[in-house]
Amino acid sequence: MQNEQPFERYPLVPWPRSISPREGYFVWNRATRVVAAGDDSARRVAAVLVERVAAGLGFRPALDGAAGENTIVLRLDADLTEAQGYRLRVDQNSVELVAKTAHGLFYGVQTLVQLLAKAGSELPAVEIEDAPRFAYRGLHLDVARHFYPIAVVKRVIEQMARLKLNVFHWHLTEDQGWRIEIKKYPRLTEVGAWREQTLIGHGQAEPKRYDGVRHGGFYTQAEVREVVQFATDRFVTIVPEIEMPGHALAILAAYPELGCSPGPFKVVGSWGIFEDILCPREETFTFLENVLSEVIELFPGKYVHVGGDEAPKARWKSSEFVQRLKVEQNLRDEDEVQSYFIRRIDRFLASRGKALVGWDEILEGGLSPNATVMSWRGVSGGIDAARQGHDVIMTPTTHCYFDYYQGSPELEPPGIGGFLPLELVYEFEPVPSELNADEARHVIGAQANLWTEYLKQESHLEYMLFPRLFAMSEVTWTPAAAKNYAAFLRRAEPAAVRLEAEGVRVAMRAFEEVRQQRRAV
C-alpha cells in the first residue's frame, strides 16, 4: 500500500466525499455471507450485490445469517442524515455498509462492486463516508430522431445507475417521430411514429440525400411500465418529455387540426427547426391535457418535461386566432403567447401533483410560476431563473452535449458538430460564481444530453456516452474541491476497460496518455 496512490488502490468513479485508506484486504471466499439488516428493501439491495459479484467471483455468495466475521453486512440506520448517502467500512475480517435508506445502500453497493473489480476477490480495507453533491444527476436520451428498443434503453439506465446518476430524461416526441402509445389518440403512433425516409450524411451538406427507408417505432404503455419499473429498481427516476408547442410535426401529421395553418404536415426525416407548431386553441389544450393525463399515469416521478424550445413564431404571427388571443389575454407579443401556453400546461400539471420542466426558452415572455428551468444555451438562463427563485438544472452545450465530437472529426464517427472532449466535461462547474448562496441553492443539479440525429446504432450511442458519462457522474456527485482530472483518468481507465469487456463500445483514446505512462513504468 505504501507505493500506491489512493486513486490506484481505490479506482472509484465517482470519487467519494471522504475516503480514509486502511492497510490490508478483506478476502471474499465461498464461506463469506452477505447479511441484510433492516427491512425488505435492504434485502433487495443485498440481492443486487450478490447478482453483480457472482460472475467475477465464480460462485454465488450466500445471502443469509447474522453479522460476524467473514460477513458483508448491509444495514439501515434511520439516525443518519443523508437520504442518498452511505458509510462503508472494510477491514480484514468483515465489511459493513450502512445507510439511512435503501437508496443509499444501493450507491454503497456500486462502490463495493468497483472496489472488488480491481482484484477479483479482494476488497481493499478502507473507510468511506459518501453522499452526492447534487440531488439531480441526469442523463437525457433522445429516442425520437432515432428509435431505440427498450433493451437499449434499459442498458443505458443500468450503466448510469452504476455511476450513481439518478434521473433519466426520456425525450419521447419530436418532428421526426412520436414514441409513446397514447390510447385516446391512436394516430399518434399509427402515423406520428413513422417517417418515410431519413437524411443521409450531415444536415448542412448539399444536395440533400435520403435513404428511402421507412423508420420508426414506439413504446407501448406496457413497455413504458416495464422500463419505469426497471429504473425504479435501480433508484433512477424517469422524466418524460412531451415537446410543445414546437417540435410538433409528428403530432400535426396525425392531427392536422391542431396547427395554425392548413398544412399539409408530415413526419420529417431531416434535422433542424421547423415553422409549424401547435396552435394555442382550446382544442389543443384539451388534446395536450388528455395526452399528459395518460403520461402522468405511467411515470410516478415529480417532473414532466414539456420542451418549450425552438418554437418559431411565424405561424402565430400570421394567425388571426392568435392575434385575437393576444388582445383577449393582454399579451404584448408572441413570446408572451408562448408564456401563456406554458402557464396553461403548468397549471394543469400542478393540479395533478406534477412539476413542469422546460428548456430555457420558457423564460421568454415570463416564467411560469412552478417551472424548473433546464439551461442549455449557456448558463445565463439558469442564472436568471435562479435569481427569480426557480430551480435550475444546468446542461449547457459547452459542457453537456454528448452529441458533440470528442476528438478530431476526421477520426470520429459522424456527429452534429461542436467539440466536447472528456476534460471539458470534467471541468464543468454547475453553480455559476455570479450566484449568491441563496440563489445557488436553486441549482439542483446537472445533466448530460445525448441527441441522436446521427446515432443510428447502439454502438455509436455507447461511444458518445463513454467515457464522458464517467466525468458527468463526478461533476454531479463529487465535491468540487475533491476533483482532480489526472487522478480521474487513472481511476476511469480501468472502469472503461471493464465496460469494454462487457461489450460496450468506449472512446478509449482519452486514456492514451495514461496507458503510455503505465507502459513506461
Side-chain angles (χ1 to χ4, degrees):
M1 177 177 169
Q2 287 82 356
N3 296 324
E4 281 186 302
Q5 295 292 332
F7 53 80
E8 294 173 330
R9 182 172 169 82
Y10 310 106
L12 299 173
V13 179
W15 191 244
R17 176 187 290 180
S18 171
I19 183 166
S20 300
R22 296 289 184 264
E23 296 282 350
Y25 290 86
F26 174 86
V27 179
W28 196 328
N29 55 44
R30 290 182 180 272
T32 304
R33 291 175 292 109
V34 178
V35 177
D39 58 24
D40 287 345
S41 67
R43 186 173 179 84
R44 286 195 295 271
V45 176
V48 171
L49 173 62
V50 168
E51 288 294 329
R52 288 286 307 281
V53 302
L57 292 172
F59 59 89
R60 186 180 181 83
L63 173 54
D64 58 18
E69 287 196 4
N70 202 16
T71 58
I72 297 175
V73 179
L74 279 65
R75 180 166 61 85
L76 294 174
D77 184 347
D79 292 334
L80 299 182
T81 57
E82 301 269 13
Q84 297 185 36
Y86 64 92
R87 294 177 183 172
L88 175 64
R89 178 194 52 76
V90 179
D91 63 32
Q92 296 178 41
N93 299 312
S94 63
V95 177
E96 184 179 52
L97 173 60
V98 184
K100 184 181 182 69
T101 67
H103 202 159
L105 285 180
F106 181 82
Y107 291 142
V109 162
Q110 308 316 308
T111 297
L112 269 175
V113 171
Q114 287 189 25
L115 290 175
L116 192 67
K118 182 175 188 290
S121 62
E122 294 181 339
L123 284 166
V126 71
E127 289 188 9
I128 292 174
E129 291 193 13
D130 201 9
R133 180 185 176 193
F134 292 104
Y136 188 109
R137 306 178 301 280
L139 170 63
H140 159 285
L141 178 63
D142 164 24
V143 295
R145 290 179 176 87
H146 277 98
F147 177 74
Y148 287 96
I150 62 168
V152 175
V153 176
K154 285 181 176 180
R155 281 195 288 271
V156 170
I157 292 171
E158 174 68 31
Q159 295 298 340
M160 63 178 284
R162 293 182 184 185
L163 293 170
K164 304 185 175 81
L165 297 165
N166 69 336
V167 182
F168 180 64
H169 176 173
W170 205 0
H171 191 96
L172 291 163
T173 73
E174 263 297 343
D175 296 302
Q176 294 82 13
W178 180 279
R179 304 295 180 219
I180 180 171
E181 178 189 23
I182 302 297
K183 295 184 182 297
K184 191 174 183 66
Y185 299 108
R187 286 179 60 81
L188 285 172
T189 47
E190 291 170 359
V191 175
W194 306 93
R195 59 178 183 257
E196 293 307 314
Q197 57 186 358
T198 301
L199 187 72
I200 296 174
H202 201 276
Q204 303 302 317
E206 294 292 345
K208 295 284 188 293
R209 297 184 301 121
Y210 294 85
D211 60 12
V213 178
R214 190 169 187 253
H215 176 84
F218 64 93
Y219 308 103
T220 67
Q221 292 195 2
E223 289 174 322
V224 169
R225 289 190 181 93
E226 182 181 337
V227 173
V228 168
Q229 186 60 56
F230 183 89
T232 300
D233 291 344
R234 289 152 182 79
F235 298 92
V236 171
T237 299
I238 298 183
V239 175
E241 181 172 357
I242 307 297
E243 276 271 13
M244 61 186 78
H247 289 291
L249 278 173
I251 298 175
L252 295 175
Y255 297 96
E257 64 273 18
L258 301 179
C260 273
S261 64
F265 308 110
K266 68 175 182 177
V267 183
V268 294
S270 58
W271 326 122
I273 302 171
F274 301 92
E275 295 287 351
D276 288 301
I277 67 175
L278 296 173
C279 204
R281 297 191 185 95
E282 288 304 313
E283 302 95 303
T284 300
F285 291 113
T286 298
F287 168 87
L288 290 172
E289 289 176 5
N290 288 335
V291 167
L292 291 172
S293 292
E294 294 194 32
V295 170
I296 287 167
E297 290 300 314
L298 295 169
F299 295 95
K302 172 183 177 181
Y303 295 114
V304 174
H305 203 299
V306 301
D309 62 310
E310 298 178 333
K313 308 301 191 296
R315 296 291 186 260
W316 287 358
K317 288 179 180 179
S318 61
S319 166
E320 292 183 6
F321 170 80
V322 174
Q323 297 313 306
R324 289 196 305 271
L325 180 69
K326 285 167 58 180
V327 174
E328 293 167 3
Q329 297 293 328
N330 194 29
L331 305 173
R332 290 178 296 181
D333 55 26
E334 281 68 31
D335 285 339
E336 290 197 358
V337 175
Q338 176 156 332
S339 179
Y340 163 81
F341 193 113
I342 298 299
R343 286 171 188 264
R344 289 279 302 262
I345 300 300
D346 185 11
R347 287 196 298 270
F348 171 76
L349 291 173
S351 75
R352 298 298 185 90
K354 298 293 185 179
L356 178 146
V357 187
W359 303 106
D360 56 48
E361 284 95 332
I362 67 173
L363 283 156
E364 299 164 4
L367 193 53
S368 189
N370 304 304
T372 295
V373 172
M374 273 191 178
S375 191
W376 73 278
R377 298 176 300 175
V379 298
S380 59
I383 292 172
D384 290 346
R387 285 175 173 166
Q388 294 179 42
H390 289 260
D391 284 348
V392 173
I393 300 152
M394 290 296 190
T395 180
T397 58
T398 52
H399 294 82
C400 300
Y401 270 49
F402 285 14
D403 53 333
Y404 284 14
Y405 290 113
Q406 52 195 315
S408 300
E410 61 271 17
L411 301 176
E412 293 284 304
I416 198 167
F419 180 56
L420 183 57
L422 179 64
E423 185 172 8
L424 195 55
V425 179
Y426 193 81
E427 289 174 355
F428 181 44
E429 171 47 54
V431 181
S433 59
E434 295 93 326
L435 298 178
N436 63 36
D438 187 56
E439 295 162 346
R441 68 182 176 83
H442 286 293
V443 180
I444 61 173
Q447 176 174 284
N449 289 339
L450 188 57
W451 305 94
T452 61
E453 285 93 335
Y454 299 92
L455 277 59
K456 297 180 180 180
Q457 292 85 29
E458 180 185 0
S459 62
H460 192 179
L461 181 155
E462 294 168 345
Y463 182 87
M464 302 303 268
L465 282 178
F466 300 107
R468 291 186 290 190
L469 200 61
F470 296 162
M472 184 56 67
S473 78
E474 204 141 306
V475 165
T476 55
W477 183 280
T478 305
K483 290 170 60 185
N484 179 295
Y485 183 65
F488 164 75
L489 284 178
R490 299 290 289 272
R491 290 182 281 108
E493 194 263 350
V497 170
R498 290 196 297 272
L499 268 187
E500 281 198 317
E502 293 178 16
V504 176
R505 187 183 180 198
V506 181
M508 295 297 292
R509 273 197 296 273
F511 303 110
E512 187 56 38
E513 183 176 348
V514 170
R515 292 180 157 190
Q516 289 176 355
Q517 291 171 353
R518 186 179 295 113
R519 287 193 292 266
V521 173

